[in-house]
Amino acid sequence: MSTAENQNLPYELLGRYFSGEATPEEAMAVDDWIREHRDHRKVYDQVAAIWDDAALQQRYQLPDRATALQELQERLRPRPAVRRMTGIGRIAAAVALLTGVAAVLFFILRSHHTRNTLAQVSERTDEAIRRDTLPDRSTVVLNSHSSLQYASGFQDTVRAVKLLGEAWFDVTSRPDKPFIVSVGDVKVEVLGTSFNVRQSDTTIAVMVKTGAVRMSRGDSSIQVKAGQEGVYHIARKELGLTAGAFNTNQLGYATRVFNFEDMTLKEIAAQLEKAYGVRVVFENKALEGCTMSSTFENKPIEYVFEVISVTLNVTCRIEKDQVFISGVGCGG
Amino acid sequence: MDIHFGKANDQDKLVEECFHTYFEGLHRYAFTILKDNDEAKDAVQAVFLKLWEKRADIDEQQSIKSYLYTAVYHYCLNVRRHEKVKDNYLAQRPPVFEHRNELVSKETHRRIMEHIDNLSPQCRLIFSKSRFEGRKYAEIAADLGLSVKTVEVQMGKALKILRAKLFDIMVMILFACLFL
């Protein structure tokens, strides 16, 4: 960005906006300005990052729009009004109730009839990971070389999915309809939470980020709570909890939340490649060994590589889905 | 059930479209006032509920936009007023999101604090009062015997300097290399 442009940026307006002083008109002006140009969005994100990171308190995070809309629509559904009823009203209500019961029975019977013919949805990934929303608005991130299967529409009494490989689930809360992941011999049952399931040749591991899940195999089961990892040893047929907390970075491919501690740029790049679906190219191989520590919480890719460039004194150039890292090195 | 079926259907779609178009901007705006992601989401949804009730009267796109921003603004101010009343009873509000602290980049935080320390004394004081103490511009101005305009100018200056220091480093290095 040129210096001339820099001088015309509405810093005072942004200051008012972030301080919570903006009038509705000013807030609209900020949003119009952001939409005006790509560079404006970038400047906005940078100032927002400074504002957020300056204080150790809650940071801004945009909620998932689809989920928010779903919640809104649930609140919009008309609720039956509670009223005192007169004689005729009661008869009418009784008739309505009977009709209702008949209708419900009809639909239940019909759905039983059609259940077997309901389509199964199958998803499979190769190298690229895949983000998707399930019929109940739960989100799933399917890691490379994995597959997921479920009945379209989730009309059953449970929300059942079958997994091969690794996936991250952020499950919407439906206490009446448990969400069950079948993976190998193991079943993972939840009401509403976010967690990761990883199947390897020797183990099936469940890492829970929020809430709790029940992991079961045959008659035995364990509860895995937020921050814990439950592991099933396939050969020993044993369920157990891993001691200590798991490494958040393992979920980075799905959550884009990273806590890099003294890691090499090569390792960091490998994790970012997955999470953002990019390829990182080291134009100077010596840079692979540079190490850094930093935390990123679902930040735009530009922000992440900007922090890396500034921290390690390298140049990161983003071109479509490739990131080129160059520079003399971090040693000097 | 729904009495105005033909028109209502279009209006339903209009409300949903507005939700998609304005949700992010409204939520961000609500967050600047409430400083809480969930409360901000509640505010936006409450405003959309109201819009939904009035959907039969909606006519034009431009007026919806300013209606939404204004409604969010008033809703948030009401929430804050309500919270102040609550605070008086509770004396001290428990810090709500402390468990998130570990997720904030300590390194980034340290770097920003360093640059804040390097601001001019007045600029630093005003920025700190707004950012760390959550004081209103009018309160800061009254405290320091300044005009609100001065507070505004100093806040803008602080953001401009911090952004330049934290994000334009690369550009400066490049320029330096060019002229060497």
Side-chain angles (χ1 to χ4, degrees):
Chain A
M1 185 170 306
S2 74
T3 352
E5 252 177 287
N6 258 330
Q7 264 142 20
N8 294 328
L9 295 177
Y11 284 108
E12 284 170 28
L13 177 63
L14 290 176
R16 290 180 57 80
Y17 183 76
F18 286 115
S19 302
E21 300 267 340
T23 62
E25 290 72 30
E26 287 170 331
M28 280 188 267
V30 169
D31 287 344
D32 290 342
W33 177 78
I34 291 174
R35 266 194 288 266
E36 228 169 67
H37 198 277
R38 274 181 55 218
D39 286 347
H40 292 179
R41 172 95 227 183
K42 196 171 153 193
V43 172
Y44 175 87
D45 285 339
Q46 291 174 345
V47 176
I50 291 169
W51 188 265
D52 268 356
D53 288 332
L56 297 169
Q57 63 192 48
Q58 192 178 27
R59 306 155 65 90
Y60 176 72
Q61 193 156 27
L62 181 67
D64 180 49
R65 196 166 28 200
T67 317
L69 180 61
Q70 162 102 355
E71 284 168 13
L72 178 70
Q73 280 163 344
E74 268 162 28
R75 286 165 72 181
L76 290 174
R77 234 170 261 155
R79 256 164 254 143
V82 181
R83 262 180 306 168
R84 203 174 283 278
M85 279 188 277
T86 56
I88 291 179
R90 277 173 214 231
I91 294 168
V95 172
L97 185 65
L98 276 176
T99 320
V101 168
V104 168
L105 275 176
F106 173 74
F107 280 112
I108 289 176
L109 290 174
R110 215 169 70 127
S111 70
H112 263 286
H113 182 69
T114 51
R115 182 169 298 159
N116 293 337
T117 61
L118 275 180
Q120 287 278 318
V121 179
S122 286
E123 294 180 22
R124 174 182 297 278
T125 52
D126 297 320
E127 207 52 56
I129 66 170
R130 181 174 168 159
R131 290 162 199 274
D132 213 346
T133 307
L134 298 176
D136 63 340
R137 302 273 175 168
S138 294
T139 53
V140 55
V141 182
L142 201 55
N143 206 342
S144 316
H145 308 294
S146 302
S147 75
L148 190 73
Q149 220 178 47
Y150 56 89
S152 75
F154 275 156
Q155 265 113 343
D156 226 322
T157 49
V158 296
R159 296 171 282 173
V161 304
K162 201 168 167 4
L163 171 73
L164 267 171
E166 177 170 14
W168 159 267
F169 298 93
D170 195 342
V171 176
T172 53
S173 177
R174 290 282 301 275
D176 55 318
K177 233 182 186 187
F179 189 100
I180 299 174
V181 183
S182 303
V183 49
D185 276 357
V186 174
K187 279 191 179 6
V188 183
E189 183 175 342
V190 301
L191 298 176
T193 172
S194 57
F195 61 102
N196 191 74
V197 182
R198 177 189 292 158
Q199 178 188 35
S200 72
D201 292 341
T202 53
T203 60
I204 293 169
V206 177
M207 291 175 263
V208 178
K209 181 143 183 273
T210 57
V213 309
R214 176 153 295 282
M215 222 179 142
S216 60
R217 192 258 165 198
D219 291 336
S220 55
S221 76
I222 56 168
Q223 196 184 29
V224 190
K225 291 187 203 148
Q228 292 182 326
E229 179 182 28
V231 178
Y232 173 69
H233 293 274
I234 296 170
R236 302 210 302 265
K237 295 187 173 24
E238 249 175 36
L239 279 168
L241 287 175
T242 311
F246 59 83
N247 181 351
T248 323
N249 292 347
Q250 293 184 303
L251 310 182
Y253 80 92
T255 60
R256 292 180 179 167
V257 173
F258 296 101
N259 182 19
F260 299 128
E261 268 175 42
D262 206 22
M263 276 172 68
T264 65
L265 194 49
K266 189 179 179 184
E267 293 169 307
I268 292 173
Q271 301 218 17
L272 295 176
E273 280 182 329
K274 279 217 129 166
Y276 291 94
V278 294
R279 204 163 70 84
V280 178
V281 180
F282 285 92
E283 290 182 329
N284 174 0
K285 286 278 172 206
L287 297 176
E288 287 182 345
C290 298
T291 59
M292 68 177 274
S293 302
S294 193
T295 309
F296 299 104
E297 200 188 333
N298 198 9
K299 286 289 182 190
I301 185 169
E302 294 83 7
Y303 174 90
V304 174
F305 280 99
E306 197 135 14
V307 170
I308 290 175
S309 355
V310 175
T311 312
L312 293 177
N313 191 15
V314 298
T315 305
C316 302
R317 200 172 74 250
I318 303 176
E319 282 175 18
K320 278 188 190 160
D321 48 4
Q322 297 203 77
V323 182
F324 298 91
I325 302 184
S326 58
V328 279
C330 43
Chain B
M1 274 264 216
D2 216 327
I3 28 173
H4 22 244
F5 212 79
K7 197 189 175 212
N9 239 351
D10 293 344
Q11 298 300 83
D12 290 3
K13 240 183 235 142
L14 184 59
V15 172
E16 199 176 315
E17 260 168 42
C18 285
F19 189 87
H20 282 292
T21 312
Y22 299 119
F23 179 75
E24 185 190 339
L26 293 171
H27 182 264
R28 262 195 287 106
Y29 181 38
F31 180 83
T32 65
I33 303 175
L34 298 171
K35 322 281 184 213
D36 184 290
N37 285 309
D38 288 336
E39 278 184 16
K41 193 173 84 177
D42 289 345
V44 177
Q45 285 181 330
V47 165
F48 269 99
L49 274 176
K50 230 180 268 168
L51 179 72
W52 177 263
E53 284 160 12
K54 292 186 176 173
R55 67 194 186 283
D57 311 326
I58 301 171
D59 43 8
E60 216 216 298
Q61 190 82 354
Q62 188 55 36
S63 71
I64 296 180
K65 183 178 171 189
S66 62
Y67 165 82
L68 287 170
Y69 278 81
T70 312
V72 163
Y73 176 69
H74 289 297
Y75 186 94
C76 292
L77 289 194
N78 272 334
V79 170
R80 289 235 335 216
R81 230 169 272 141
H82 183 72
E83 271 174 2
K84 265 197 194 126
V85 177
K86 266 197 316 197
D87 283 355
N88 287 343
Y89 284 103
L90 298 171
Q92 207 188 343
R93 216 163 117 223
V96 193
F97 274 86
E98 216 162 40
H99 65 276
R100 294 176 64 101
N101 284 0
E102 55 183 326
L103 296 175
V104 175
S105 161
K106 295 210 178 67
E107 170 63 21
T108 317
H109 176 66
R110 193 190 53 73
R111 272 195 320 131
I112 292 174
M113 292 312 284
E114 231 174 68
H115 289 297
I116 290 173
D117 285 342
N118 287 332
L119 296 170
S120 75
Q122 195 194 38
C123 194
R124 182 178 64 218
L125 186 62
I126 290 172
F127 184 81
S128 303
K129 278 184 180 287
S130 166
R131 180 63 189 104
F132 303 126
E133 296 169 29
R135 306 289 298 278
K136 309 237 2 144
Y137 277 17
E139 294 169 350
I140 301 172
D143 270 10
L144 304 176
L146 300 166
S147 70
V148 172
K149 185 69 204 164
T150 308
V151 174
E152 215 171 274
V153 170
Q154 293 295 329
M155 284 297 291
K157 218 171 102 185
L159 289 179
K160 183 177 177 172
I161 294 173
L162 290 175
R163 174 168 170 264
K165 289 266 162 65
L166 288 153
F167 285 99
D168 284 355
I169 295 173
M170 278 320 293
V171 179
M172 288 192 304
I173 292 169
L174 279 179
F175 268 109
C177 292
L178 280 179
F179 292 110
L180 273 181

